[in-house]
Amino acid sequence: MPQGQGAVSPGARPGPAIGLALALVVAAAVIAALSLGVGSTGVESAWHMLDDPVAARIVWDIRAPRTLGAFAAGGLLGLAGAVAQGLFRNPLADPFLLGSASGASLGVALALAALGLSPLATQWAVRLGLTGAAFLGAVAAVMFTLALARGVQQTLRLLLAGVVVGVVLGSLTSLVTLAVPQTLQAMQGFMLGSTAFVGWAACALMLAVGLGCLLLALGLSRVLDGLALGEATALSLGLPLTPLRAALVAVLALATGTAVAQTGLIAFVGLAAPHLVRGLVKTRHAPLLVLASLMGGVLLMLADLLARGLLAPQELPVGVLTALLGGAYLLWLMRGRME
């Protein structure tokens, strides 16, 4: 697939995009209804469970926020993936490209290590929380990438800086876990990704951040359309690329950092969601951003449903399932391109 894919003619019709959006909304509703009834005992009707006070509390306090949180996190990753692919003009770009995943992992590793090092560190880590440590680590990694790349003027330099930062911070995370072995099990849970601990507060946070990032990305969609035609074309349209690129990087960092902080590292959702949308409709970046968000939410909800239901009562890490499904999809896509 060549770079710059996604550019469409000015006369692209909105009908298919609207149809896909409605289909994704219906799919999300169906998956949500099924997800409310899937637990450690298998599948049962969520409406029947509401007659039992204990079962009803399980549905509303555990399964409902988990389901909504999966949709919100998937939406953030899908949006970040669409922004990353448009910004770098590369269909293989994903939300973790600027080192945010490695930064979040290092933040969590340091917080976990602090829990076992001293009482002062324990109080600080408890107050900040692993979620805050992951978010701060992700944002710090992106800032480090920007500093190493000397801004956002050159996309290739920014891309290479993100790769370097990811490798270095990943190595530091490994050193921390080796130095403090008791953090290994908790770090494994974060690295594999999970929606099991998402509550209503986390749902509200992700939905609010997602809506803000989506609105900002929609306001910058003309920049992504221009970049899809080449930097020279974007400049000829009178677009101030440097500040607008910085704004797009901010959207990418905020959306990715928020999702990772709440659910851990969940692979391939941000990469696959824009690909699936482009395979179904040809549209400008404004509808693409909305559709990629919906597609990401549906994909992660479906993965979470399968992770709970396939081997019930045992639960698979949702990040492992998304990696397997996403890897299979990319292999199929590559095979189709090579034929």
Side-chain angles (χ1 to χ4, degrees):
M1 188 178 299
Q3 283 192 348
Q5 183 186 0
V8 295
S9 62
R13 294 178 299 172
I18 295 175
L20 179 58
L22 293 176
L24 290 173
V25 170
V26 172
V30 172
I31 295 172
L34 293 173
S35 182
L36 292 178
V38 175
S40 60
T41 58
V43 182
E44 53 188 314
S45 172
W47 301 111
H48 176 71
M49 294 179 64
L50 295 180
D51 296 332
D52 183 353
V54 176
R57 186 168 183 179
I58 293 175
V59 170
W60 291 116
D61 292 347
I62 299 177
R63 296 183 188 174
R66 177 173 183 168
T67 300
L68 182 59
F71 180 81
L76 285 167
L77 293 174
L79 173 63
V83 170
Q85 292 174 16
L87 177 63
F88 293 106
R89 293 185 295 152
N90 190 329
L92 295 179
D94 75 345
F96 303 149
L97 202 58
L98 297 182
S100 56
S102 299
S105 299
L106 180 58
V108 170
L110 291 174
L112 289 171
L115 284 169
L117 292 180
S118 70
L120 180 61
T122 300
Q123 294 176 7
W124 173 85
V126 170
R127 183 167 59 249
L128 178 62
L130 298 182
T131 297
F135 180 78
L136 290 178
V139 173
V142 174
M143 298 300 294
F144 187 22
T145 298
L146 292 175
L148 186 62
R150 299 177 184 176
V152 296
Q153 292 85 354
Q154 296 186 21
T155 304
L156 180 58
R157 180 185 291 176
L158 186 62
L159 180 62
L160 294 175
V163 173
V164 171
V165 169
V167 171
V168 171
L169 296 186
S171 300
L172 292 176
T173 302
S174 299
L175 288 175
V176 172
T177 54
L178 287 174
V180 190
Q182 60 265 33
T183 65
L184 186 59
Q185 184 175 0
M187 278 301 302
Q188 185 180 29
F190 178 82
M191 298 291 288
L192 295 178
S194 175
T195 57
F197 305 105
V198 176
W200 286 115
C203 289
L205 175 63
M206 287 191 288
L207 289 173
V209 172
L211 179 59
C213 288
L214 179 59
L215 292 176
L216 182 54
L218 288 174
L220 298 168
S221 61
R222 185 166 172 258
V223 184
L224 296 174
D225 289 334
L227 287 173
L229 301 173
E231 290 195 18
T233 302
L235 290 171
S236 69
L237 296 174
L239 298 173
L241 290 185
T242 298
L244 294 179
R245 272 200 188 112
L248 287 170
V249 169
V251 171
L252 174 59
L254 183 59
T256 306
T258 302
V260 169
Q262 302 297 332
T263 61
L265 303 185
I266 296 179
F268 279 105
V269 172
L271 176 61
H275 267 285
L276 289 172
V277 172
R278 289 194 188 97
L280 295 171
V281 298
K282 304 297 181 184
T283 184
R284 292 178 177 273
H285 273 92
L288 174 65
L289 294 169
V290 177
L291 292 172
S293 300
L294 291 173
M295 182 67 77
V298 169
L299 288 177
L300 189 50
M301 285 177 66
L302 180 59
D304 183 60
L305 176 63
L306 293 175
R308 284 185 283 157
L310 285 178
L311 299 178
Q314 185 178 357
E315 181 176 324
L316 292 172
V318 68
V320 172
L321 193 58
T322 58
L324 289 174
L325 296 176
Y329 168 71
L330 286 182
L331 289 175
W332 173 81
L333 189 66
M334 291 176 62
R335 181 176 179 273
R337 293 290 175 182
M338 294 173 64
E339 291 180 349

